[in-house]
């Protein structure tokens, strides 16, 4: 009973947590991920600091441009003098002067500095974009984690409720003298494990909620809208890693910041080299002095205009050191570019691989979850009538809990991989429709647009295993059936094979007395047989789909049938060609097995993806394009 009381106390804690969650937000509508990302981009202090750095960089440009304009100084002085020589030994004197200096030539120092600062402000702009992408990524991951662990907590609570129910049932049986004490000990241990699972999920939820609070500045609302990242960037390019990387090089803000930083530092080299040039200034001045050269009380006025020339011959080696420093800054910028390239390439490739692998895993994980659900339901019914042991029942419950947990975790991991890929490409904030309105365009700030060849600057490199190194994709004889399922791993190249890789019996077109291209087609019949993706297996329920074909053939023994197999546009064209041939042969073999029609009257042809009903790749289009058609033809008389 102590375990049961602990479970009851735990539920009280859970209810309190849920009650507390209800006070987090007063909003009547569930907020979306876009709402939170927009708030972070506007208010997050790190984003704000990056924006201030952009403003500082824009001011640097204005400061540098000031070197092109004249410098005007007003000078004035008033002094009392007491001396022991001259005609007047004690007097007060006043002077006033206005001076103008206009730079005529400085070795292009000012122009180089303006260009350097203009490119530097683009670097700050891309750094701001990168900060926005990172904060959008962190917000998205925290948002998804909150949703994930809320779901995991719900599953753990359901699992605990089931264990409590079973515990009560076993405890009543033991108290009535019809149950075994060992069963009570067993369910007690499993109940403790279920309690521990709930506490673990509570702790996980607390941690991700604290992280969400740090990033967003407020707790997540009790109800959050589901996230389904949909982006043309993902849908179009996710099947081609090289294209994906090349596109990311163009749009990734951190990489672009590194590229523009190299350009800015190159202008810094020009600035350093300008120190070896002379400087020419136009100067003009106008002034008045209440004392003359003899310090007599005579006001004198002096005006001058002229050209000043200065050329430094030796500066202690400082100018040479400045050039070396500027060149080192260029090398440093190139190293930072390479680092940005490596980091981006790693993130894109890992996220891409996660999307591919998890997408492949989800159907299997879901099938495991559904099977576990059916098993636990059946075991519960059988346990009630004494046909299953308690251990069987508990194992089935825990397997359902673990499979459900793994499936939900994979779903959220897939979405997090998608947002990581979008953030690495610099497209996450744009995909979410979030943008700061106070940020200028890049070309408005740049001295010139920097272009580069990604194949030279940051070449795409494959990191994932080739198909031959993957047991799930390895196909030694290239017949479209992976070795894991291939019972005939040495089939003839190009031969049609069944679902287990063995050469399927098919009708030889030469045995017929006609050619397919010149066949006299009497009627075309649509055969309502649906195939699963990447499969040519026909379920028994589709046997009746050939009734119209059989009836047409039985009416006239001089007629034959061509079975046309078609595949969807999804996947490799050569593989789809073989797959369509296997499907057509499978239907032909089924037709021969259920009728006495001569094999010479039946021909199977595969067209692959060359004749789609709908020229697009979508779930509905793929389903319609995976089809079988039958053409009833007139055969020449038998010889």
């Amino acid at each position: 009973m102590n375990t049961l009381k602990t479970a009851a106390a735990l539920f009280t804690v859970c209810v309190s947590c849920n009650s507390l969650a209800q006070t987090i937000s007063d909003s009547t509508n569930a907020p979306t991920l876009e709402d939170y990302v927009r708030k972070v981009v506007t208010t997050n202090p790190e984003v704000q600091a990056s924006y201030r750095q952009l403003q500082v960089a824009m001011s640097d440009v204005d400061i540098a441009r000031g070197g092109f304009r004249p410098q005007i100084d007003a000078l004035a002085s008033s002094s009392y003098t007491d001396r022991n020589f001259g005609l007047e030994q004690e007097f007060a004197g006043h002077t006033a002067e206005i001076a103008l200096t206009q730079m005529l030539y400085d070795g292009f120092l000012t122009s180089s500095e303006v260009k350097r600062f203009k490119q530097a402000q683009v670097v700050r702009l891309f750094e701001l974009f990168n900060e926005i992408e990172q904060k959008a990524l962190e917000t998205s991951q925290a948002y998804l984690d909150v949703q994930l662990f809320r779901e995991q907590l719900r599953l753990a609570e359901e699992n605990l409720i089931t264990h409590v129910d079973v515990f009560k049932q076993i405890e009543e049986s033991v108290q009535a003298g019809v149950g075994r004490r060992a069963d009570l000990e067993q369910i007690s241990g499993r109940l403790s494990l279920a309690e521990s699972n709930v506490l673990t999920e509570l702790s996980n939820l607390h941690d991700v909620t604290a992280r969400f609070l740090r990033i967003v500045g407020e707790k997540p609302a009790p109800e959050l809208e589901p996230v389904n990242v949909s982006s043309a960037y993902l849908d179009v390019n996710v099947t081609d890693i090289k294209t994906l990387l090349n596109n990311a090089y163009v749009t990734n803000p951190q990489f672009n910041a590194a590229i523009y930083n190299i350009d800015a530092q190159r202008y810094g080299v020009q600035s350093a080299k300008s120190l070896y040039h002379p400087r020419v200034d136009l100067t003009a001045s106008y002034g008045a002095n209440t004392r003359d050269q003899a310090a007599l009380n005579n006001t004198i006025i002096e005006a001058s205009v002229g050209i000043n020339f200065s050329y430094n011959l030796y500066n202690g080696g400082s100018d040479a050191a400045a050039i070396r420093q500027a060149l080192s800054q260029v090398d440093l910028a190139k190293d930072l570019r390479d680092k940005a390239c490596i980091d981006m390439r790693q993130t894109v490739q890992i996220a891409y691989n996660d999307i591919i692998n998890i997408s492949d895993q989800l159907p299997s994980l879901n099938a495991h979850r559904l099977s576990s659900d059916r098993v636990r339901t059946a075991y519960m019914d059988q346990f009630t009538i004494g046909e299953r042991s308690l251990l069987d029942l508990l194992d089935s419950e825990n397997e359902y809990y673990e499979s459900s947990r793994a499936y939900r975790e994979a779903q959220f991991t897939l979405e997090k991989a998608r947002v990581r890929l979008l953030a690495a490409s610099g497209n996450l904030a744009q995909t979410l429709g979030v943008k700061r309105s106070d940020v200028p365009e890049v070309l408005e700030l740049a001295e010139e647009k920097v272009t580069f060849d990604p194949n030279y600057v940051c070449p795409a490199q494959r990191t994932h295993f080739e198909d031959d190194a993957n047991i799930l994709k390895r196909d030694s004889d290239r017949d479209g059936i992976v070795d894991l399922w291939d019972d005939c791993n040495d089939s003839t190249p190009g031969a049609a094979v069944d679902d287990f890789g063995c050469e399927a019996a098919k009708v030889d077109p030469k045995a017929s007395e006609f050619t397919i291209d010149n066949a006299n087609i009497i009627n075309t019949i649509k055969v309502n047989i649906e195939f699963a993706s990447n499969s040519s297996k026909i379920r028994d329920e589709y046997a009746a789909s050939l009734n119209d074909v059989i009836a047409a053939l039985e009416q006239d023994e001089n007629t034959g049938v061509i079975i046309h197999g078609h595949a969807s546009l999804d996947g490799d064209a050569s593989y789809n060609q073989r797959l369509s041939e296997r499907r057509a042969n499978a239907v032909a073999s089924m037709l021969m097995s259920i009728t006495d029609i001569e094999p010479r009257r039946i021909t199977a042809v595969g067209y692959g993806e060359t004749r789609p009903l709908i020229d697009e790749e979508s779930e509905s289009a793929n389903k319609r394009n995976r089809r079988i058609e039958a053409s009833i033809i007139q055969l020449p008389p038998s010889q």
Side-chain angles (χ1 to χ4, degrees):
M1 285 299 293
N2 289 336
T3 304
L4 188 58
K5 291 178 180 178
T6 304
L10 186 58
F11 275 120
T12 302
V13 173
C14 294
V15 171
S16 299
C17 290
N18 291 333
S19 299
L20 178 61
Q22 294 296 327
T23 65
I24 291 176
S25 175
D26 295 331
S27 177
T28 56
N29 298 323
T32 64
L33 173 60
E34 290 82 352
D35 295 333
Y36 284 120
V37 171
R38 191 172 292 107
K39 180 179 186 300
V40 169
V41 168
T42 305
T43 63
N44 184 272
E46 293 177 64
V47 177
Q48 290 297 99
S50 186
Y51 177 70
R52 302 304 178 199
Q53 289 178 340
L54 171 62
Q55 291 181 312
V56 170
M58 294 172 69
S59 298
D60 286 338
V61 176
D62 294 335
I63 294 172
R65 281 199 182 108
F68 288 118
R69 301 184 181 93
Q71 177 180 338
I72 301 176
D73 298 310
L75 308 175
S77 66
S78 180
S79 61
Y80 173 78
T81 303
D82 184 3
R83 62 185 185 177
N84 61 357
F85 65 91
L87 297 177
E88 293 192 28
Q89 297 183 355
E90 183 178 351
F91 60 88
H94 311 285
T95 63
E97 182 183 18
I98 184 169
L100 178 145
T101 303
Q102 172 63 59
M103 183 272 297
L104 299 179
Y105 178 75
D106 62 353
F108 305 106
L109 172 63
T110 300
S111 60
S112 297
E113 285 293 274
V114 170
K115 293 175 181 178
R116 179 168 75 92
F117 285 123
K118 288 185 70 175
Q119 297 301 76
Q121 69 181 350
V122 178
V123 176
R124 302 289 90 79
L125 177 62
F126 276 117
E127 288 175 350
L128 172 61
F129 289 157
N130 183 63
E131 192 66 45
I132 290 174
E133 288 295 318
Q134 292 305 310
K135 287 299 172 285
L137 174 61
E138 291 179 18
T139 304
S140 300
Q141 290 178 324
Y143 185 98
L144 289 166
D145 281 339
V146 169
Q147 287 186 314
L148 169 61
F149 285 110
R150 283 179 178 178
E151 180 67 16
Q152 302 295 49
L153 177 59
R154 182 189 64 79
L155 292 173
E157 289 175 345
E158 290 178 354
N159 185 53
L160 178 58
I161 291 173
T162 301
H163 279 74
V164 170
D165 291 340
V166 175
F167 179 90
K168 290 178 179 178
Q169 183 178 348
I170 297 300
E171 186 179 45
E172 290 175 358
S173 299
V174 171
Q175 290 176 350
V178 295
R180 292 173 293 187
R181 177 66 60 177
D183 286 345
L184 185 60
E185 292 296 331
Q186 188 174 70
I187 184 59
S188 296
R190 293 296 185 93
L191 181 57
S192 298
L193 178 60
E195 293 171 358
S196 176
N197 289 337
V198 172
L199 290 173
T200 298
E201 301 302 345
L202 276 172
S203 178
N204 290 336
L205 181 57
H206 172 273
D207 292 347
V208 299
T209 301
R211 176 157 55 91
F212 187 96
L213 175 61
R214 175 184 65 82
I215 297 170
V216 180
E218 64 181 60
K219 296 179 182 179
E223 297 293 333
L224 298 175
E225 284 293 318
V227 176
N228 185 12
V229 178
S230 178
S231 169
Y233 184 88
L234 291 174
D235 298 338
V236 173
N237 299 316
V238 75
T239 56
D240 183 357
I241 182 61
K242 184 174 181 180
T243 302
L244 194 65
L245 282 168
N246 286 339
N247 289 343
Y249 298 149
V250 176
T251 55
N252 179 275
Q254 184 177 8
F255 184 71
N256 276 276
I259 291 291
Y260 273 90
N261 189 40
I262 295 175
D263 206 46
Q265 299 307 325
R266 284 172 177 162
Y267 284 121
V269 175
Q270 295 180 13
S271 298
K273 289 181 178 179
S274 67
L275 300 176
Y276 280 92
H277 289 248
R279 181 182 178 93
V280 180
D281 294 319
L282 169 68
T283 61
S285 64
Y286 180 86
N289 194 334
T290 58
R291 296 283 172 170
D292 59 17
Q293 290 84 350
L296 298 177
N297 189 17
N298 294 321
T299 300
I300 60 175
I301 297 174
E302 182 177 5
S304 68
V305 61
I307 301 293
N308 286 347
F309 175 90
S310 64
Y311 186 56
N312 173 253
L313 299 178
Y314 181 68
N315 194 25
S318 297
D319 296 341
I323 294 176
R324 292 195 302 270
Q325 182 189 53
L327 292 172
S328 296
Q329 292 284 5
V330 173
D331 292 337
L332 174 60
K334 290 180 178 179
D335 292 336
L336 293 176
R337 176 203 62 193
D338 294 340
K339 180 182 183 303
C341 166
I342 294 171
D343 291 344
M344 174 185 59
R345 190 165 56 199
Q346 171 185 289
T347 303
V348 169
Q349 289 173 328
I350 291 176
Y352 166 83
N353 190 62
D354 286 347
I355 291 173
I356 297 299
N357 289 338
I358 296 173
S359 297
D360 291 341
Q361 290 174 0
L362 277 175
S364 298
L365 291 172
N366 191 37
H368 182 207
R369 179 179 67 91
L370 296 175
S371 297
S372 300
D373 189 24
R374 290 190 291 268
V375 168
R376 71 158 184 162
T377 301
Y379 277 23
M380 177 63 78
D381 295 338
Q382 294 168 8
F383 174 75
T384 303
I385 61 177
E387 292 185 358
R388 285 287 173 183
S389 67
L390 175 63
L391 182 60
D392 291 337
L393 175 63
L394 297 178
D395 285 345
S396 67
E397 287 291 342
N398 285 331
E399 183 172 3
Y400 171 73
Y401 166 67
E402 293 296 340
S403 63
S404 299
R405 192 176 187 280
Y407 176 65
R408 295 299 292 164
E409 184 173 4
Q411 286 182 311
F412 280 94
T413 302
L414 175 60
E415 289 302 322
K416 286 193 284 186
R418 288 175 177 271
V419 298
R420 288 206 321 274
L421 183 57
L422 285 170
S425 65
N427 288 289
L428 179 56
Q430 178 182 355
T431 299
L432 297 175
V434 176
K435 181 182 179 181
R436 288 187 64 130
S437 59
D438 55 352
V439 176
E441 296 294 332
V442 173
L443 294 182
E444 293 179 3
L445 300 181
E447 168 65 23
E448 60 180 348
K449 183 179 180 180
V450 177
T451 58
F452 61 92
D453 182 358
N455 293 317
Y456 171 75
V457 174
C458 190
Q461 298 180 12
R462 292 169 60 93
T463 59
H464 60 281
F465 291 117
E466 299 291 342
D467 291 347
D468 287 343
N470 189 339
I471 192 174
L472 296 176
K473 297 182 179 179
R474 190 183 305 144
D475 182 9
S476 301
D477 55 5
R478 304 294 180 183
D479 60 357
I481 305 299
V482 297
D483 291 354
L484 192 63
W485 292 96
D486 201 335
D487 292 339
C488 304
N489 207 17
D490 56 353
S491 57
T492 305
V497 297
D498 58 22
D499 282 347
F500 297 100
C502 298
E503 295 185 31
K506 70 174 183 177
V507 181
D508 185 358
K510 295 181 180 179
S512 302
E513 299 181 5
F514 65 95
T515 62
I516 295 173
D517 294 335
N518 297 323
N520 182 15
I521 299 177
I522 301 173
N523 187 20
T524 299
I525 300 173
K526 181 180 179 182
V527 181
N528 294 318
I529 295 178
E530 294 185 0
F531 293 94
S533 179
N534 299 324
S535 175
S536 60
K537 185 176 181 180
I538 305 175
R539 296 196 294 271
D540 294 337
E541 63 192 78
Y542 289 118
S545 300
L546 296 172
N547 288 345
D548 292 341
V549 176
I550 296 171
L553 295 174
E554 289 178 344
Q555 288 179 2
D556 185 355
E557 63 180 11
N558 290 322
T559 59
V561 62
I562 302 176
I563 305 296
H564 305 276
H566 302 272
S568 65
L569 300 177
D570 182 23
D572 179 71
S574 60
Y575 174 80
N576 285 338
Q577 177 62 39
R578 295 193 299 270
L579 180 61
S580 67
E581 293 171 358
R582 290 181 4 236
R583 287 171 174 168
N585 280 300
V587 174
S589 299
M590 182 179 187
L591 183 59
M592 286 186 285
S593 68
I594 61 178
T595 67
D596 295 329
I597 297 172
E598 297 176 81
R600 77 175 187 89
R601 300 172 61 191
I602 305 172
T603 302
V605 182
Y607 294 99
E609 58 183 50
T610 60
R611 300 184 181 183
L613 287 177
I614 303 176
D615 191 14
E616 66 178 52
E617 290 188 50
S618 63
E619 185 175 351
S620 60
N622 291 340
K623 185 176 180 180
R624 292 193 61 188
N625 288 333
R626 291 193 292 265
R627 70 193 189 281
I628 292 290
E629 296 171 344
S631 296
I632 305 300
I633 61 172
Q634 185 68 48
L635 295 175
S638 301
Q639 299 296 327

